[in-house]
Amino acid sequence: ARLRPMASPVNAKLRALPAVEKLLGEPALAGALAALPRPLVVAAVREELAAARARLKRDREAPPEPAAGPPPPAAPGAPPARGSAS
């Protein structure tokens, strides 16, 4: 049996995005479907899903931000930093 590589967290999030038809069945869209032409609502849902996919992909490609840590120690003999207790 061939082993599949482990999926990245971003791929898992992409797969977790709901299908257009599933979203159209949500109560939150019932009002829009009643008031607007279905093709317009479908197009809006597709645009939102495309934007969500783009954000996830962009976040995957962005370099990781450095971890925030304590500031480096002051050089010996340097004046104390502003607001320090010294």
Side-chain angles (χ1 to χ4, degrees):
R2 255 175 68 180
L3 294 176
R4 290 178 27 191
M6 291 193 59
S8 74
V10 172
N11 286 342
K13 289 177 183 177
L14 286 168
R15 281 193 306 278
L17 290 173
V20 172
E21 285 302 318
K22 180 171 167 94
L23 288 174
L24 292 174
E26 291 292 320
L29 288 177
L33 287 167
L36 300 167
R38 182 178 172 86
L40 184 64
V41 178
V42 169
V45 168
R46 286 182 177 150
E47 285 179 26
E48 286 300 315
L49 285 171
R53 282 188 208 97
R55 279 191 304 275
L56 288 169
K57 290 176 181 177
R58 182 185 62 234
D59 292 347
R60 169 176 55 194
E61 294 166 2
E65 295 194 18
R82 288 187 140 189
S84 69
S86 308

